[in-house]
Amino acid sequence: MNHAEEPTTKLGEFIRQKRIEKDLSIRKLADLSGVVNNTIWRIEHGEIAQPRPEILTAIARSLSIPAADLYALVDYPSLTKLPSFGAYLRARYQEATPSQVAQLEGYFAAIAQQSGIKLDGPEPGEDEF
């Protein structure tokens, strides 16, 4: 498997997982996002190597997840936000299983809660000098 295929497989698996968690069919996600249902199917099955950013943004919006999470899985830079910790782990450590990523996310969330760290990041302007 070459490098271009692996992120797409991770992307497809991630989108499918989020779609199922929201109890959406491919057709319903297509209706909500304005993305053709065949395109969503092809992304989920790894047939589209790097969907255009506007497609990823529409899908992310419809799934109520940050577009940066999807961008990270196909190595697109996000101009406005960093990906969530889980998306970062999936993109950076592609050999990690979903179970391992979930364990790391849980561990990170527990540490953040103990330390009073906000997991949704800084407020606008809070991290600017």
Side-chain angles (χ1 to χ4, degrees):
M1 178 180 300
N2 68 35
H3 180 68
E5 291 171 340
E6 193 164 334
T8 303
T9 301
K10 294 281 187 182
L11 173 69
E13 290 171 3
F14 183 71
I15 289 173
R16 182 175 187 276
Q17 173 192 358
K18 294 299 182 185
R19 177 178 61 77
I20 290 170
E21 284 175 12
K22 296 208 174 277
D23 198 29
L24 297 174
S25 65
I26 288 177
R27 184 176 306 273
K28 183 62 176 175
L29 179 57
D31 290 344
L32 292 171
S33 66
V35 175
V36 177
N37 63 347
N38 184 48
T39 299
I40 294 170
W41 186 93
R42 290 179 63 210
I43 292 168
E44 286 188 3
H45 288 84
E47 292 184 10
I48 297 180
Q50 287 190 304
R52 292 189 323 265
E54 59 270 19
I55 289 175
L56 294 178
T57 300
I59 291 171
R61 188 176 303 119
S62 298
L63 294 173
S64 302
I65 59 175
D69 287 6
L70 300 183
Y71 285 14
L73 293 171
V74 292
D75 295 327
Y76 286 151
S78 174
L79 301 177
T80 58
K81 289 185 94 175
L82 292 173
S84 68
F85 187 59
Y88 167 77
L89 291 172
R90 284 185 289 280
R92 176 66 177 88
Y93 303 103
Q94 295 179 4
E95 67 280 0
T97 66
S99 175
Q100 291 168 327
V101 170
Q103 286 178 321
L104 288 167
E105 285 180 299
Y107 183 65
F108 181 68
I111 291 172
Q113 184 178 14
Q114 291 171 354
S115 304
I117 297 171
K118 295 185 291 184
L119 293 181
D120 55 356
E123 297 296 324
E126 188 176 43
D127 59 345
E128 297 171 9
F129 296 100

